[in-house]
Amino acid sequence: MPALSDLLVATLAAGGLAGAIPPRIGTTNTGTTSLTQVRNTNFVRNQHGPIALAKAYRKYGVPLPADLKSAVTRIVQKRSTGSAKTTPEEYDNEYLTPVSIGSPAQTLNLDFDTGSSDLWVFSSETPRSEVSDQAVYNPNKSTTSKKLNGASWEISYGDGSKSSGDVYLDRVTVGGLSVKYQAVESAQQVSKEFTADSNNDGLLGLAFSVLNTVQPTQQNTFFDNAKASLDTPVFTADLKAGAPGTYNFGYIDDSAYTGNLTFTPVDVSQGFWMFTPTGYAIGSTGAFKSTTSLSGIADTGTTLLLLPKSVVTAYYKNVSGAKYDSSQGGYVFNCNAKLPDFVIGIDDSNTITVPGSYINFEPTEPASRTCFGGIQSDAGIGFAIYGDVALKAAFVVFDAGNEQLGWAAKDLS
Ligand SMILES: *[C@@H]1O[C@H](CO)[C@@H](O)[C@H](O)[C@H]1NC(C)=O
Ligand SMILES: *[C@@H]1O[C@H](CO)[C@@H](O)[C@H](O)[C@H]1NC(C)=O
Ligand SMILES: *[C@@H]1O[C@H](CO)[C@@H](O)[C@H](O)[C@H]1NC(C)=O
């Protein structure tokens, strides 16, 4: 454990707007760093269960099933006719973390995404028509920016949309941890899903660098570049339900969890933080089942918990009145339904319990009594996705040195 004085904590109150309050930045190259997130309370209110699901499918290249596609189209159309941006409600659709780029520092709120490996930002090169309220990075206003000549990046999605642009090297600081020559991918085009997400100024990828999309020379993630200056090559994610969470780099805060920290090997062959749970149980006293492969990735950039169809079906059999609703493209139930916990086996004696309340994700429409489920099918992606619904139930260690994930329970109150 580092001395408290070693930690530089950048804090933004939940609900702070993008760029409104710069984080406190201290000296660089401390061996550890910690910082607190902001929740994206400006995320368009309600009806984003299907959008969250569609976003995950897009990210992993799955063509949207027709019913989900029409659910999303309907919601987006409603948005553009003005139901968007009413008083934000508190749902955990996305978590944002302040990051400083350039000199003097330009602060952008980025989505830390352990399921991708590009650091890309809205910028002065992004067409105005594709920017809503995002803070933009302007390399011309940074004395330390340098164009990476000839380099480009592109992320494409299952539905054919894509974001792309060119690349600068610049100083990037997260909490008190700085990388001098980080590839900052400047968006010259963004897909409409990103434009609509007005508080999200870009992504900071924390999967393995092998997934980075910069051509012709692949670039390292921020974490890969920072690793050498860290005490240990780890970062931890401590996401919270309905509150800002914390990312720590370089150390494991033993006071942040309870019980055992249990490590499980990571299969890095696809560039993700992929692990294999030993099984699952529905309800804290339910029978433990290990017949279905639950291999999947720990993905802070996905909102929901996406599991094999058979597991999803089994789970909702235990929720009275739950049904697959094709108008929503996913499982829904009465908002008053009591949902069982979902238990994930990490090793033979340790489990993580996702409380049923986290799986009651949100009403399908404002004031609706029908709620969209936090567990949905991973149909077609090829692996499960342990997104925020699962991750916020645990303290999770991403250990690149030993290629393993550590899981511990924590106080969820
Ligand atoms: C920087 O400024 C130059 C000159 O005004 C302009 O041509 C260029 O597009 C700007 N670059 C960015 C990244 O905004
Ligand atoms: C910790 O792990 C040990 C063995 O790995 C197990 O016997 C024990 O029950 C676990 N304790 C908790 C609090 O989970
Ligand atoms: C789930 O449903 C099965 C079959 O109806 C039942 O045996 C089991 O007790 C239920 N579990 C929970 C946690 O509700």
Side-chain angles (χ1 to χ4, degrees):
M1 271 268 294
L4 206 57
S5 59
D6 289 345
L7 304 183
L8 292 154
V9 182
T11 306
L12 274 186
L17 291 177
I21 313 164
R24 285 169 24 227
I25 302 300
T27 53
T28 57
N29 292 327
T30 54
T32 64
T33 196
S34 168
L35 80 172
T36 305
Q37 303 170 308
V38 282
R39 288 178 70 241
N40 187 357
T41 52
N42 198 34
F43 204 90
V44 182
R45 182 187 184 187
N46 270 327
Q47 295 193 318
H48 21 56
I51 287 184
L53 185 57
K55 188 176 156 196
Y57 286 174
R58 275 197 192 97
K59 181 173 175 183
Y60 295 101
V62 178
L64 296 192
D67 46 7
L68 181 59
K69 196 170 187 172
S70 51
V72 166
T73 306
R74 235 183 9 258
I75 293 164
V76 170
Q77 278 168 354
K78 267 198 195 167
R79 263 187 189 178
S80 57
T81 58
S83 78
K85 283 200 206 166
T86 51
T87 315
E89 281 283 345
E90 305 262 312
Y91 298 112
D92 299 338
N93 273 282
E94 189 172 74
Y95 296 82
L96 299 173
T97 306
V99 173
S100 297
I101 306 177
S103 316
Q106 302 175 31
T107 301
L108 277 73
N109 287 329
L110 304 186
D111 188 359
F112 280 29
D113 180 13
T114 60
S116 68
S117 305
D118 287 55
L119 193 173
W120 75 260
V121 294
F122 280 79
S123 76
S124 49
E125 299 177 314
T126 315
R128 288 270 169 88
S129 61
E130 295 175 10
V131 180
S132 24
D133 279 329
Q134 287 87 357
V136 299
Y137 165 61
N138 186 340
N140 278 349
K141 290 191 178 156
S142 169
T143 58
T144 45
S145 75
K146 189 173 171 298
K147 179 109 199 251
L148 189 60
N149 282 321
S152 64
W153 63 280
E154 177 179 318
I155 296 174
S156 39
Y157 300 89
D159 63 353
S161 64
K162 62 184 168 101
S163 297
S164 60
D166 56 6
V167 184
Y168 293 82
L169 297 179
D170 208 342
R171 171 181 287 263
V172 171
T173 305
V174 170
L177 182 67
S178 277
V179 169
K180 257 191 181 160
Y181 304 106
Q182 174 63 43
V184 177
E185 304 170 31
S186 157
Q188 293 174 307
Q189 191 209 342
V190 299
S191 60
K192 58 186 184 308
E193 296 81 8
F194 285 103
T195 300
D197 188 2
S198 62
N199 249 2
N200 177 346
D201 308 329
L203 260 69
L204 188 147
L206 290 168
F208 293 88
S209 295
V210 65
L211 294 179
N212 178 269
T213 74
V214 175
Q215 303 266 18
T217 309
Q218 196 167 51
Q219 300 295 305
N220 278 342
T221 64
F222 172 80
F223 178 60
D224 264 350
N225 285 328
K227 260 186 336 203
S229 60
L230 292 172
D231 291 350
T232 39
V234 304
F235 64 92
T236 64
D238 184 7
L239 303 183
K240 309 260 197 228
T246 303
Y247 282 99
N248 295 332
F249 288 84
Y251 73 105
I252 295 169
D253 177 0
D254 289 319
S255 71
Y257 62 88
T258 56
N260 292 329
L261 183 57
T262 306
F263 286 91
T264 183
V266 164
D267 170 1
V268 300
S269 63
Q270 296 184 63
F272 293 116
W273 292 94
M274 183 170 294
F275 69 109
T276 302
T278 51
Y280 74 95
I282 295 168
S284 296
T285 56
F288 201 74
K289 298 205 176 74
S290 55
T291 43
T292 311
S293 168
L294 295 171
S295 290
I297 66 173
D299 182 4
T300 59
T302 288
T303 307
L304 306 177
L305 169 54
L306 307 185
L307 295 167
K309 233 175 197 160
S310 62
V311 179
V312 177
T313 307
Y315 179 81
Y316 286 111
K317 273 197 179 139
N318 279 89
V319 178
S320 119
K323 60 171 203 289
Y324 181 86
D325 179 348
S326 57
S327 79
Q328 297 293 332
Y331 276 88
V332 300
F333 39 81
N334 185 298
C335 294
N336 294 324
K338 176 127 181 51
L339 276 75
D341 297 343
F342 186 79
V343 180
I344 302 166
I346 303 300
D347 71 3
D348 290 343
S349 43
N350 294 281
T351 56
I352 293 296
T353 298
V354 181
S357 60
Y358 290 11
I359 303 164
N360 192 336
F361 184 62
E362 65 183 13
T364 54
E365 301 195 22
S368 170
R369 289 201 203 124
T370 301
C371 276
F372 196 77
I375 288 180
Q376 300 290 348
S377 167
D378 67 8
I381 295 172
F383 44 78
I385 298 189
Y386 297 86
D388 300 340
V389 163
L391 298 175
K392 65 193 175 187
F395 175 80
V396 188
V397 178
F398 295 78
D399 179 349
N402 300 305
E403 296 187 348
Q404 59 184 4
L405 280 171
W407 297 83
K410 67 188 180 192
D411 184 4
L412 297 180
S413 59

